[in-house]
Amino acid sequence: MNQFSTVIDRYFSRQRCPRLNFNTFHNHHHRFGSIQRSYLQPTSYASILQEVKELIKPLQQVHANIVTSGLSQNIFLSNRLTNSYASCGLLDDADQIFHRIPCKNVVSWTILISGYVKNSLFVEAIDVFRAMVLISGLQPNAITISSILPAFGNVGLIQIGKSVHSFWIRHGFGTNVFVETAMVGMYSKFGCISVARQLFDNMSERNTVSWNAIISGYSDHGFGEEVFRLFSLMRRDGFSTDCFTIMSLISAALSIEGSRVGVEIHSFAIKTGFNNDQLVRTALMNIYVNEKCIEDAYLIFNEMVVKDVVAWTLMLTGFSSGQYWNKAIEHFNEMMRLEELELDSVALTGILSSCCSLGALQEGRRVHTLTVKTGFSHDMFVGSAIIDMYANCANLEEARIFFQEMEEKDVACWNAMIAGNGMNGYGNDAIDLFLRMKGSGINPDESTLVCILCACSHTGMVDQGLHIFNHMVESWNIVPNSRHYACVVDLLGRAGRLSDAYSLVNSMPLNPEFEVYCALLSACKVHGNIELGIEISEKLFQLEPNDAGYYALLSNMYALAGNWEGVKMTRVSLRSKGLKKDPGFSSIEINGELYTFMAGQKDHPQYFEIDGLLNYMILKIKEVGYVPDTKFVLQELSDDMKRDILYHHSEKLAIAFGLGRTKPGTIIRITKNLRACNDCHSASKLISKVFERVLLVKDAKRFHVFQDGVCSCKDYWGVIQSSKILGLVCSGINLKVTRSGGEYKEVLGSLVGSLLYFIKVLSLQDQHCFSLS
DNA sequence: TTAGGGTTAG
C-alpha cells in the first residue's frame, strides 16, 4: 500500500507543477502544437498505470493525460488502460478503449476477455472470444485459452469447451500448466469430474493452483472424503496450501454429513494465518451457521472490518435457521437500510425466505417492492422466493398476481406456485397448473412431482395423487425417489389408509429415508397406532441421532403410550449428547410490526405488558370451563410447575399480547414454528369466545381458525358454499368475501384456501400435536 | 518491446 501511495503521490505532485521541468514541457508543446500538461514517456505512463490499477479517480486522470498527450493510439498504453478499467469493474470503459484501438493484437483481445471473466460476465467474455476468432482472424494463444475456459465452465457450454480443448490439442501447443489447470477447472464445473481427474493425473507439471482446481472440483460435487485424500497427497508432495485450498476443505467438511469440524478448521485457519482472508472468514461463518452455532458465526461477523453482502446474507440465514427471529428481523431491516450494501439476488432470496419462515408479510411486501425497484423481480430465484413468501404468509392471491404477471417463468416458479396452491388448499388449481406447465414449454422436474403430490395430500385428493404417482415414469420420465414416496405415504396416512401406507413403505425399491418414516409416523398418529408409532420413532431416531426433533418425537410416542420410563430415557440421552431441541416460538403481527415470543420467555421486552393480560386471560377462560391439560407437559414436575409451563407457551403469550393490542371483533393472526399443542388449541377456542376475537393460527403444519369457541370452519364453509364469491378485494392481509346477498363478511386472505383444506383434515381426526415446550 | 493467464463463499 505504501508503495502505491508513494508512486501516485510523486506522479500527482509532478502534475501540479509541470513547469518545474520547463524544457521538457516546452519541447512537448512545440512538437504537438498544443498545451501539454504532461511530459511523460509512454513507458512512464505504463508504470503509473500499473500502480494506479484499481484506483478509479487517479486512473481517470492518468487516462485524461494520456489522451491530451496524444498517446491514445499507443497500443501498449491502450491495452494497459483496458486492463485497468476492467480491474476496476468498469467494463463499459474498458470496452470503449478496446474498440478505439485501431490494430488490436492478441493481447488486447485477451485483456478484454479476461476482464469480463474476472467480473463474472461470462457471456460477454464468450462474445468477445467469438468475435476474436471469427472476425479478427487472430489465433488465440495459451493465455487467451486459459482466460476463456472458466467462462465455458461457468456457463456450462460443454460442446464449445470441448472443441476449444481439441483445438488446443490439435495445434500442439505442448504442455502449459495454466491451460491444463483451467481445463481441470472447466471440466469440474461441467460436472465431468472423472475427465478432470484424468487431465489432472496426466499433467506433467503441477502447482498449488492445479491441486486446488481438482480439489475444489471434488468438493463442489460433494466428494468430501476424496477432497481430504487429495489434500494429504498434495501435502505429501510438498505443495503449499493457500486460501483456495482451505475454502475447498471447508466446503468438503460441510458436505460430510454430521461432521462437526467448525472449531478444528477455525483453529487450523488461525494457525496458518488464513483466517484473515475475507472469503475464509465467510466460509468459517458458514460452518458455524451449518452447525447451528450462531453465536460463533456472529462473533466472526462482528469482527469483520469489511462486511460484504455475502457475510450479511449468511448471517441472516444463521439468525433465521437458528430461530433468532427478532435478530433476523433487525438484521434484514439493517440490510435494507445500508446504502453501501448492494443487495443481489442471493441476498434478496435469503431475506424473502426468512420472511417466509417468520410469516412476516409486511416485511416480505417491502422486500417485494424493493425487488421491483431494483429489477430483481425478474430474476427466477427471486421470483420463486416471492411466490413462496406470499403463499407461506397465507396470501395466495398476491402470489397468484405476481406469478401471472411474470414475463418469464422457470420450473422453480411453477413449482412454487403449485406448492403454494397446495398448502393453501387449492388442490384442483394445483393440478390445473401442473397440467398447464407442459403447454408453456416447461417440463416438470422431481420437485414438481413432490409439490403436486404434496398438494394432493394436503387437499385430500387421494385418487388424483395416486394416479399421478403411478404414472410418474411413463408420463414424465421421473423415477420416484424417497421424497415422492413420503408424499404418497402422507397422502394415504391422512386418508386413514394406514395399512396401504405401511405396505407401500415395505414395497419400496429403494431404502426409505427419514421423510418416509416421518410421514408413516404421522399416519400412525392419525390412525392411533401407538405400537407401530414407537417402532418407527425408534427407526427415525437411529437414522438421525443428532437431530433433537426426533428425540421429541420418540419421547412423545412413549408419552402417548404412557411409557414414562421411555420418556425419561430419551430425555437423558438428549442431554448426554448436548443437543437442544428447537425452541418454540410464536409471532404476531400488529399494525405491521412483528412481535415474537419464545416459550417461557419472561425476559421479553413486552413481558410486563402481557403478564397481567395473561393471568386475566387464563382466569376468564377458566370461568367458562378451561382446565389446563398438564398431561401434555412431558416432564416429571409438580402440577403447579406444569401449569406454569403451559401458561407460558409461546402461543398463549402471543395471544395475550394480541388481546391487549386489539379490539373485540378483530382477527388476530399468529404464526408458530412448531405445531400447536392440544392445550393451546382448547384454550384458543375459549379465548375466541370470551374475548370475541377470531384467532388465525398458522403452525408448522396447518392453519387453524378459532371463532365463537370452536375450531372449525363450518361458519366459513357455509359462507363459501352458500355464496358465490363475487369478488375478492385485497386489503392488507384481509380479503373481503362478497356474499351474493350483498352482505359482507371479512375473513383472512388465506382462509378461502385453507378452509377447504383443513375442513377435510380436521374432520378426519382431531389432531394430536405434542411438543416438549 | 513492454502488456494478457488457471483454482475460492452466501
Side-chain angles (χ1 to χ4, degrees):
Chain A
M1 252 353 238
N2 275 338
Q3 260 183 331
F4 274 167
S5 36
T6 326
V7 178
I8 289 156
D9 225 42
R10 213 183 300 143
Y11 171 68
F12 285 106
S13 54
R14 264 192 275 178
Q15 277 291 298
R16 276 193 294 275
C17 40
R19 281 173 186 276
L20 281 180
N21 194 334
F22 185 73
N23 285 337
T24 323
F25 174 75
H26 182 78
N27 286 344
H28 277 213
H29 186 217
H30 179 72
R31 252 171 65 208
F32 298 116
S34 63
I35 293 174
Q36 296 299 314
R37 292 180 57 231
S38 170
Y39 50 85
L40 295 179
Q41 294 294 312
T43 44
S44 314
Y45 276 121
S47 52
I48 292 295
L49 275 175
Q50 184 94 345
E51 304 300 338
V52 147
K53 235 173 186 167
E54 284 172 32
L55 304 167
I56 298 178
K57 278 270 149 61
L59 168 62
Q60 286 166 336
Q61 199 150 358
V62 180
H63 182 193
N65 289 343
I66 289 174
V67 173
T68 44
S69 307
L71 291 169
S72 58
Q73 301 281 300
N74 181 306
I75 189 170
F76 173 51
L77 286 181
S78 297
N79 282 348
R80 276 239 162 138
L81 276 171
T82 310
N83 194 30
S84 301
Y85 275 111
S87 304
C88 295
L90 302 173
L91 272 307
D92 286 341
D93 296 272
D95 193 69
Q96 262 181 26
I97 295 163
F98 169 80
H99 280 290
R100 288 198 194 116
I101 303 173
C103 301
K104 304 168 184 68
N105 59 18
V106 182
V107 180
S108 326
W109 287 94
T110 307
I111 286 172
L112 192 64
I113 290 169
S114 101
Y116 278 123
V117 170
K118 278 183 203 148
N119 286 279
S120 304
L121 297 164
F122 305 115
V123 176
E124 287 81 351
I126 292 165
D127 279 344
V128 177
F129 180 74
R130 203 176 278 151
M132 175 185 180
V133 175
L134 298 177
I135 301 168
S136 82
L138 289 166
Q139 201 180 71
N141 62 18
I143 303 181
T144 323
I145 305 268
S146 52
S147 306
I148 192 63
L149 290 179
F152 298 142
N154 279 293
V155 176
L157 288 175
I158 302 185
Q159 281 316 315
I160 302 183
K162 279 184 179 167
S163 59
V164 172
H165 186 187
S166 65
F167 164 85
W168 172 256
I169 297 169
R170 252 198 341 269
H171 283 75
F173 285 113
T175 60
N176 179 304
V177 68
F178 285 92
V179 173
E180 285 161 8
T181 304
M183 293 279 181
V184 171
M186 180 182 75
Y187 281 105
S188 301
K189 286 246 158 61
F190 289 157
C192 310
I193 195 74
S194 54
V195 179
R197 180 57 181 268
Q198 217 173 0
L199 284 169
F200 176 80
D201 286 341
N202 290 331
M203 284 172 82
S204 52
E205 183 200 338
R206 291 184 200 114
N207 57 25
T208 298
V209 183
S210 355
W211 279 95
N212 287 344
I214 190 68
I215 286 179
S216 92
Y218 278 111
S219 83
D220 277 352
H221 294 93
F223 299 101
E225 277 89 3
E226 189 58 24
V227 167
F228 287 101
R229 211 166 14 250
L230 276 165
F231 176 63
S232 59
L233 289 178
M234 176 184 183
R235 303 245 289 190
R236 186 201 64 191
D237 291 353
F239 290 97
S240 59
T241 310
D242 65 9
C243 295
F244 288 82
T245 330
I246 302 282
M247 294 295 292
S248 296
L249 291 182
I250 293 177
S251 67
L254 284 173
S255 74
I256 300 174
E257 207 146 310
S259 71
R260 298 180 68 84
V261 287
V263 180
E264 283 96 311
I265 292 192
H266 197 175
S267 58
F268 179 68
I270 291 173
K271 221 162 43 197
T272 46
F274 293 125
N275 65 317
N276 293 318
D277 181 87
Q278 175 85 6
L279 292 184
V280 172
R281 276 165 179 253
T282 319
L284 285 168
M285 273 178 70
N286 195 3
I287 293 192
Y288 284 129
V289 166
N290 259 281
E291 292 178 2
K292 293 263 164 76
C293 303
I294 310 304
E295 288 89 351
D296 295 304
Y298 190 57
L299 276 177
I300 300 179
F301 177 75
N302 243 349
E303 282 169 4
M304 280 183 170
V305 185
V306 182
K307 297 180 172 71
D308 61 12
V309 67
V310 179
W312 275 93
T313 309
L314 194 48
M315 202 59 240
L316 174 64
T317 316
F319 284 140
S320 78
S321 71
Q323 309 194 338
Y324 291 78
W325 304 106
N326 293 323
K327 273 276 182 200
I329 292 197
E330 225 172 82
H331 191 82
F332 71 59
N333 278 327
E334 204 171 340
M335 280 176 85
M336 308 260 282
R337 266 199 308 274
L338 283 177
E339 276 175 17
E340 67 270 21
L341 201 70
E342 223 175 284
L343 296 178
D344 59 12
S345 60
V346 188
L348 289 164
T349 310
I351 298 178
L352 284 163
S353 89
S354 295
C355 292
C356 214
S357 34
L358 276 157
L361 182 60
Q362 296 293 103
E363 314 282 351
R365 269 213 200 91
R366 273 177 51 216
V367 185
H368 177 192
T369 313
L370 183 73
T371 63
V372 172
K373 265 190 222 152
T374 48
F376 278 107
S377 56
H378 299 296
D379 181 287
M380 295 296 123
F381 287 97
V382 175
S384 48
I386 291 173
I387 297 170
D388 240 16
M389 182 273 294
Y390 280 129
N392 264 288
C393 291
N395 209 318
L396 190 66
E397 206 45 39
E398 275 178 90
R400 280 181 176 158
I401 293 170
F402 179 80
F403 180 76
Q404 273 158 16
E405 288 177 354
M406 283 181 99
E407 284 166 18
E408 200 188 327
K409 308 172 177 80
D410 70 359
V411 65
C413 300
W414 283 90
N415 292 353
M417 201 59 228
I418 291 172
N421 273 287
M423 78 176 78
N424 284 282
Y426 292 91
N428 281 317
D429 289 355
I431 290 191
D432 190 44
L433 273 166
F434 177 62
L435 297 175
R436 266 174 41 210
M437 253 180 107
K438 253 196 173 158
S440 39
I442 306 285
N443 280 325
D445 63 5
E446 290 193 342
S447 305
T448 318
L449 267 300
V450 172
C451 295
I452 191 66
L453 289 172
C454 206
C456 289
S457 110
H458 277 213
T459 53
M461 300 170 72
V462 184
D463 295 335
Q464 294 91 327
L466 287 174
H467 185 263
I468 291 172
F469 178 71
N470 290 328
H471 292 82
M472 276 175 64
V473 179
E474 59 171 284
S475 300
W476 301 282
N477 200 23
I478 293 169
V479 181
N481 63 27
S482 201
R483 286 179 66 202
H484 300 119
Y485 277 96
C487 289
V488 180
V489 170
D490 192 55
L491 177 85
L492 294 167
R494 280 171 193 257
R497 290 165 61 175
L498 179 66
S499 58
D500 289 342
Y502 191 59
S503 46
L504 180 68
V505 174
N506 287 330
S507 71
M508 275 175 70
L510 54 151
N511 275 338
E513 284 176 34
F514 70 95
E515 65 254 4
V516 177
Y517 289 119
C518 276
L520 193 53
L521 183 62
S522 50
C524 290
K525 281 186 181 172
V526 171
H527 217 257
N529 191 333
I530 312 281
E531 206 174 304
L532 185 58
I534 290 182
E535 189 189 316
I536 294 159
S537 301
E538 280 167 348
K539 271 215 173 86
L540 273 168
F541 184 73
Q542 285 158 10
L543 275 170
E544 298 279 330
N546 289 321
D547 190 319
Y550 297 115
Y551 284 75
L553 262 182
L554 183 58
S555 167
N556 289 349
M557 288 312 296
Y558 284 137
L560 266 178
N563 179 351
W564 295 99
E565 201 47 43
V567 171
K568 214 173 185 174
M569 259 168 43
T570 330
R571 283 193 161 269
V572 169
S573 84
L574 180 77
R575 272 201 212 108
S576 71
K577 291 213 171 184
L579 294 173
K580 266 194 259 170
K581 71 168 216 70
D582 288 348
F585 78 89
S586 297
S587 45
I588 177 169
E589 212 174 70
I590 306 267
N591 297 327
E593 285 268 334
L594 199 72
Y595 300 87
T596 303
F597 301 88
M598 310 297 289
Q601 192 184 11
K602 295 187 180 175
D603 58 354
H604 194 280
Q606 267 83 30
Y607 187 72
F608 288 110
E609 186 180 337
I610 53 177
D611 188 30
L613 280 164
L614 187 67
N615 290 329
Y616 180 67
M617 182 179 94
I618 301 286
L619 195 77
K620 295 303 277 185
I621 55 174
K622 274 186 176 166
E623 284 175 8
V624 292
Y626 168 68
V627 182
D629 198 345
T630 49
K631 76 166 178 286
F632 297 113
V633 179
L634 305 175
Q635 294 170 55
E636 287 195 305
L637 296 169
S638 74
D639 278 355
D640 273 353
M641 286 165 84
K642 282 186 176 180
R643 272 195 293 273
D644 191 63
I645 288 178
L646 270 185
Y647 297 161
H648 288 86
H649 274 182
S650 66
E651 203 176 322
K652 293 197 184 77
L653 298 179
I655 294 174
F657 179 72
L659 290 179
R661 295 276 182 116
T662 57
K663 292 194 182 100
T666 47
I667 295 168
I668 298 178
R669 188 172 165 277
I670 287 167
T671 305
K672 189 176 190 314
N673 66 329
L674 306 173
R675 297 187 60 178
C677 80
N678 272 20
D679 184 74
C680 283
H681 195 264
S682 41
S684 301
K685 284 193 218 170
L686 298 171
I687 293 165
S688 71
K689 189 178 177 72
V690 176
F691 295 93
E692 294 170 30
R693 309 290 203 281
V694 177
L695 303 176
L696 190 120
V697 181
K698 180 194 165 226
D699 71 10
K701 279 271 191 257
R702 50 187 66 139
F703 299 103
H704 315 253
V705 176
F706 301 94
Q707 189 181 28
D708 290 336
V710 282
C711 176
S712 93
C713 36
K714 278 191 181 126
D715 298 348
Y716 294 108
W717 178 245
V719 171
I720 291 168
Q721 288 296 338
S722 64
S723 62
K724 290 255 180 252
I725 300 170
L726 297 177
L728 299 171
V729 186
C730 242
S731 68
I733 55 168
N734 299 324
L735 284 181
K736 283 189 175 124
V737 178
T738 317
R739 294 186 66 169
S740 52
E743 189 187 328
Y744 287 82
K745 182 139 192 168
E746 199 177 73
V747 293
L748 263 142
S750 59
L751 207 54
V752 183
S754 56
L755 293 177
L756 301 162
Y757 156 57
F758 76 86
I759 287 165
K760 283 180 182 154
V761 175
L762 292 182
S763 60
L764 278 174
Q765 172 88 33
D766 200 8
Q767 58 177 328
H768 299 277
C769 313
F770 301 93
S771 103
L772 288 176
S773 62

